[in-house]
Amino acid sequence: MLKIIIPTIMLLPTALLSPKASLWTNTTTYSLLIATISLQWLNPTYFPHKNMTPWTGIDQISAPLLVLSCWLLPLMLLASQNHLQQEPLVRKRTFIVTLTTIQPFIILAFSATELTLFYISFEATLIPTLILITRWGNQPERLSAGIYLLFYTLISSLPLLVTILHLHTQIGTLHMPTLELTHPLLTHSWTGTLSGLALLMAFMVKAPLYGLHLWLPKAHVEAPIAGSMLLAALLLKLGGYGIMRVTLLMGPLTDRLSYPFLALALWGALMTSSICLRQTDLKSLIAYSSVSHMGLVIAASMIQTDWSFSGAMILMISHGLTSSMLFCLANTNYERTHSRILLLTRGLQPLLPLMSVWWLLANLTNMALPPTTNLMAELTIMIALFNWSTPTIILTGLATLLTASYTLFMLSMTQRGTLPTHLTSIHNSNTREHLLMTLHIFPMLLLMLKPELISGVI
Amino acid sequence: MAALAGCGRALRAAGAGMAAGRSGRRQRSAAAGTVSPAAAPLGAAAGPHHGAEEEDGMWAVQRKHPETHGFAEEPAADARNMRAAFVAGVSVALVLGATFLRYLPDYGLRQWARREAERQIRAREAQGLPLVTPDYYDPARLPLPPAGD
């Protein structure tokens, strides 16, 4: 653990003290090396549960998410290098420091064994993300986006804090391995039901659940590329992971309390997929597709069977990489045309044929093409839900159909069709962008060969 | 034929120089039904828009250094950054990382589970015990309350 955390924290002086010519070289290279070392967390002799330090541990649910979070930092740095080119050196350093500050908190959040530490790191990731969105976003709407993100998360997480502290006084400990052995505390009384709701709501907002998702399209669209990648690939997974951890505390409540969340999650997957078909803004389309996929994750986490947890895990990892790649591709469009509107960024395949290869691959994985891990995840979740309740197959089947249709819509709008006449020149794709897409897609392709790495407890 | 000759004249006139735009236009009006090339480079009429694109960072860098990799403006730093990112990203992280993950021993204890199951079956068949019992715990070890309470 220390061999990851200490180098990550030392990236902060690296960013602050590197000379101008090697600022990006140093930070990108060292964060890639940290990501390589983080692969040792997938070593199976650690499982089912390894205590890395007295306050952190790792098991098969948190290991893939930890590796994903270490992998994403260099990708965020690569993606941001261009739009920060013109900024003064101090601002570049501040940007990298903001990104790097989030990293230790995310690592702590995913590896915390104590629920209070998880809560503190969960909240701590919020402030640098807010700084990233409101300072480096491109449109004036970013202020509204920051407010939505901040207040949605804070309002839902305050009851979580109260409930965590209350449970601590009742049970005596919040150490998660110990909590698995205690008797369930919450009953079907009003106190118990409200405690259960309070425990879940913060993660439902973060995941996000369909009725509480309004912050997500705003935040994803207004964030700079690094912010969008961070939000889509990591912070949403904090919600899914939190639900998985917190449902072990909820005991007998979930057999009644899960219904509203399941209904909203599955219906939300349908609704947001349909909204995607009506989007004019490319980043907004990708943001709503994130809500749709995470709706499936929430539904799977709420029924708490072995297969559904496994499917939720695979979907979180696959969706993290796919969604981040789609945002990077949308950003390459935005840097050339300075517009996110689909009608204005059409027909790019003849202009940028190499980039259209990456567009194709990203969209194929997004629509869960076999044999990608996205398909494995969606199928596992659909089967687990079908086993739990037969009519859910209608909802999940329709959601899969709509996912394929809006993904094809996105692909055909950006790549095919007539070129808009106002584009007189766009600059060529460069090595940095191709490397960025390679580093996104290759882990996904390699995971197809060994999916048990990300499949959680199975 | 006359149309083609007119087209050829228009082409030569336009190719003679941009100052021949006037003659190009004359040729165009003279030879009806021909397609003559534009009298000026495409986009030159849209003055401010074209100028704004020159300020676009990446565009300017690509014009100045066509072989840029997109990491930095100055070619030496650009090449250094590209090489460092590729070595750390592809050679170390993807290749060495994938090799490490591929050779991880018995992930998820699946091969062990198979071996253990076969061993248990052999042991139980040798002792004549049933392979699976409906009681998870040995009932003799469970202190149950007396019946009738």
Side-chain angles (χ1 to χ4, degrees), chain A residues 21-262:
Chain A
S22 51
L23 174 64
W24 293 103
T25 315
N26 285 349
T27 43
T28 316
T29 317
Y30 291 136
S31 44
L32 278 167
L33 292 175
I34 294 175
T36 316
I37 302 177
S38 76
L39 288 174
Q40 49 108 22
W41 278 329
L42 288 171
N43 197 338
T45 57
Y46 288 168
F47 303 138
H49 179 87
K50 175 176 170 66
N51 277 316
M52 291 192 285
T53 68
W55 60 89
T56 56
I58 190 167
D59 69 352
Q60 279 152 306
I61 299 183
S62 46
L65 290 166
L66 279 166
V67 174
L68 180 66
S69 54
C70 291
W71 184 244
L72 222 78
L73 178 62
L75 267 52
M76 290 193 278
L77 290 170
L78 270 175
S80 319
Q81 210 165 331
N82 190 26
H83 76 84
L84 291 177
Q85 194 87 308
Q86 312 296 332
E87 302 234 4
L89 183 62
V90 173
R91 257 182 245 158
K92 284 189 209 177
R93 292 196 206 274
T94 317
F95 186 88
I96 300 179
V97 159
T98 314
L99 274 183
T100 318
T101 314
I102 308 180
Q103 194 70 358
F105 287 125
I106 289 194
I107 295 179
L108 267 183
F110 281 128
S111 60
T113 44
E114 183 83 28
L115 215 48
T116 329
L117 180 64
F118 176 62
Y119 174 79
I120 293 172
S121 357
F122 174 77
E123 294 298 307
T125 57
L126 199 54
I127 300 295
T129 313
L130 181 71
I131 296 176
L132 213 55
I133 296 179
T134 51
R135 170 64 185 82
W136 275 283
N138 283 314
Q139 278 79 35
E141 287 81 8
R142 70 186 188 275
L143 302 172
S144 159
I147 301 274
Y148 266 71
L149 166 71
L150 187 69
F151 282 99
Y152 264 69
T153 315
L154 286 182
I155 289 178
S156 58
S157 66
L158 184 61
L160 173 66
L161 176 64
V162 172
T163 314
I164 284 181
L165 295 174
H166 172 73
L167 281 176
H168 187 104
T169 56
Q170 298 287 312
I171 305 179
T173 179
L174 284 175
H175 190 234
M176 281 195 263
T178 319
L179 284 177
E180 287 170 21
L181 299 168
T182 56
H183 291 289
L185 193 68
L186 301 173
T187 60
H188 283 292
S189 60
W190 272 109
T191 313
T193 313
L194 284 175
S195 306
L197 272 178
L199 281 173
L200 281 175
M201 284 314 259
F203 305 113
M204 292 297 172
V205 165
K206 202 74 180 185
L209 185 65
Y210 174 56
L212 307 162
H213 70 289
L214 283 180
W215 64 274
L216 187 137
K218 288 184 191 289
H220 274 76
V221 165
E222 302 304 328
I225 178 60
S228 295
M229 290 167 75
L230 178 72
L231 276 169
L234 290 178
L235 296 185
L236 265 52
K237 315 311 180 251
L238 271 177
Y241 175 76
I243 299 175
M244 285 184 178
R245 290 295 190 208
V246 145
T247 44
L248 74 84
L249 275 180
M250 287 181 49
L253 278 183
T254 44
D255 50 353
R256 292 214 204 129
L257 211 55
S258 61
Y259 284 110
F261 296 118
L262 270 163

Side-chain angles (χ1 to χ4, degrees), chain A residues 42 81 424-425 428 431 450, chain B residues 53 62 69 71 81 101 107:
Chain A
L42 288 171
Q81 210 165 331
T424 51
S425 53
N428 209 354
T431 316
K450 193 163 184 176
Chain B
E53 280 192 67
Q62 273 188 348
H69 292 292
F71 288 94
N81 196 344
L101 291 175
Y107 196 85

